[in-house]
Amino acid sequence: MLWTFVAPLLLAGAKGALPDDANSTCFLQEQHRSRILARQPDYGHPSWIQSCKSIYLDVGSNKGVQIRKLFEPELYPNAPVLPLFTKTFGNATERCKPAAESSICALGFEPNPQHQDRLKKLAAAYQNYGWHVHFYFMAASTEEGQVSFTGNGGGADLGAHLTLMQWEDVVVRAIDIASFISSLPAGSVKLMKLDIEGEEFNVVDRLAEAGAVCKDVVQAAILEVHNVTSITTWANTSRWGGREPSADGLASFLQGQPCEHGAMDMLSQDDEQYFDDVNEDFGSANSCRNDAPPQAVTAAA
């Protein structure tokens, strides 16, 4: 079954241009972040969220395979993302330590209802090892609201899209991803994967508006760029400056942002290996695991 998102037009119309002066722009972005913090909605964060110092933010988790690669890399030999995980979060013997020692957390977004049971089991199993993993069953978007998650037959895992077509709707919550990031401990997002099937231009535009594409907010991002015919009408055309809706255009856009310490690194790492996963024995390849099974813990999912 092929699933799609169905969303209203978000941020309709181009907003006015920000001031040209970089200092004025940074000041406006700081004001915007302060306003976001003052009116943040409840995301249902786990109780341990403030202890996270190194977050992997997996936007578009699907079955959770990428998060398994972070904690159980032995199951996924030669997966392209593994060297990046090692560079960002340390080697496997460091990542497998309980979060109380490593301060590593993995947060995933996945609105597809078909994956919820599996992802809940994955998070619960990982918490038994002291790993801080949590999934938000919401759609990452440019503003708070609701979208309709829609299927039309075929393979459910082939993609997730924000479209204007509508049938067999399942309503899910959409959240402003910039606001969500600002609700996390400052500077904790070391790596974000953004795989949202064509909505990456709108979402990155929203992150830029909020000043969240700077390295001190999100250190690096894996951006899967999909083919679109044009920058959509609700993107701020003055910020995009006529750039093409392509990987090069996106990279140029990020580098043009007024960030004191530089823009987040844009990484083109398309790792679709092991898409169907290798098993559902979550935690079986824990490098730190003793022969004894893990003890159950009572932690927020």
Side-chain angles (χ1 to χ4, degrees), residues 214-275:
C214 297
K215 193 181 292 289
D216 55 353
V217 180
V218 177
Q219 184 170 305
I222 303 170
L223 299 177
E224 185 169 335
V225 179
H226 299 81
N227 293 327
V228 295
T229 56
S230 64
I231 299 298
T232 49
T233 55
W234 56 86
N236 187 312
T237 53
S238 62
R239 275 198 296 275
W240 281 91
R243 294 177 175 88
E244 291 295 320
S246 63
D248 288 342
L250 198 55
S252 172
F253 174 72
L254 289 174
Q255 292 306 312
Q257 298 307 303
C259 298
E260 182 179 357
H261 302 291
M264 65 183 183
D265 295 328
M266 176 178 164
L267 309 172
S268 56
Q269 178 69 259
D270 187 10
D271 183 359
E272 298 291 343
Q273 289 190 18
Y274 303 98
F275 184 80

Side-chain angles (χ1 to χ4, degrees), residues 46 48-55 103-107 132 185-186 188:
W48 40 257
I49 195 70
Q50 292 303 319
S51 69
C52 299
K53 295 181 181 178
S54 296
I55 291 178
S103 298
I104 295 173
C105 302
L107 308 177
H132 284 174
S188 60

Side-chain angles (χ1 to χ4, degrees), residues 159-209:
H161 305 267
L162 285 169
T163 73
L164 298 179
M165 302 173 67
Q166 194 164 1
W167 66 98
E168 299 178 13
D169 297 342
V170 177
V171 176
V172 297
R173 179 181 173 186
I175 61 97
D176 175 1
I177 191 63
S179 176
F180 176 87
I181 290 174
S182 71
S183 74
L184 303 175
S188 60
V189 181
K190 305 305 181 186
L191 182 63
M192 174 176 68
K193 186 203 79 182
L194 195 62
D195 183 7
I196 47 178
E197 303 295 331
E199 285 301 298
E200 57 273 8
F201 294 99
N202 305 315
V203 168
V204 170
D205 181 73
R206 173 71 184 105
L207 292 173
E209 179 189 37

Side-chain angles (χ1 to χ4, degrees), residues 62-65 68 72 75-76 114-126 128-129 131 157 274-286 289:
N62 202 271
K63 295 179 178 180
V65 175
R68 292 198 73 189
E72 301 183 84
L75 293 176
Y76 309 97
Q114 289 198 339
H115 298 323
Q116 287 192 16
D117 287 345
R118 174 189 164 92
L119 294 177
K120 288 177 181 178
K121 291 176 183 176
L122 172 59
Y126 276 11
N128 285 339
Y129 292 102
W131 297 337
D157 298 329
Y274 303 98
F275 184 80
D276 292 323
D277 212 352
V278 295
N279 62 42
E280 294 195 3
D281 187 8
F282 305 134
S284 62
N286 180 355
R289 181 176 181 175

Side-chain angles (χ1 to χ4, degrees), residues 11 45 56 75 82 92 99 102 109 115 125 137 199 241 261 276 280:
L11 303 181
H45 286 319
Y56 172 50
L75 293 176
L82 296 185
S102 71
F109 274 86
H115 298 323
F137 301 114
E199 285 301 298
H261 302 291
D276 292 323
E280 294 195 3

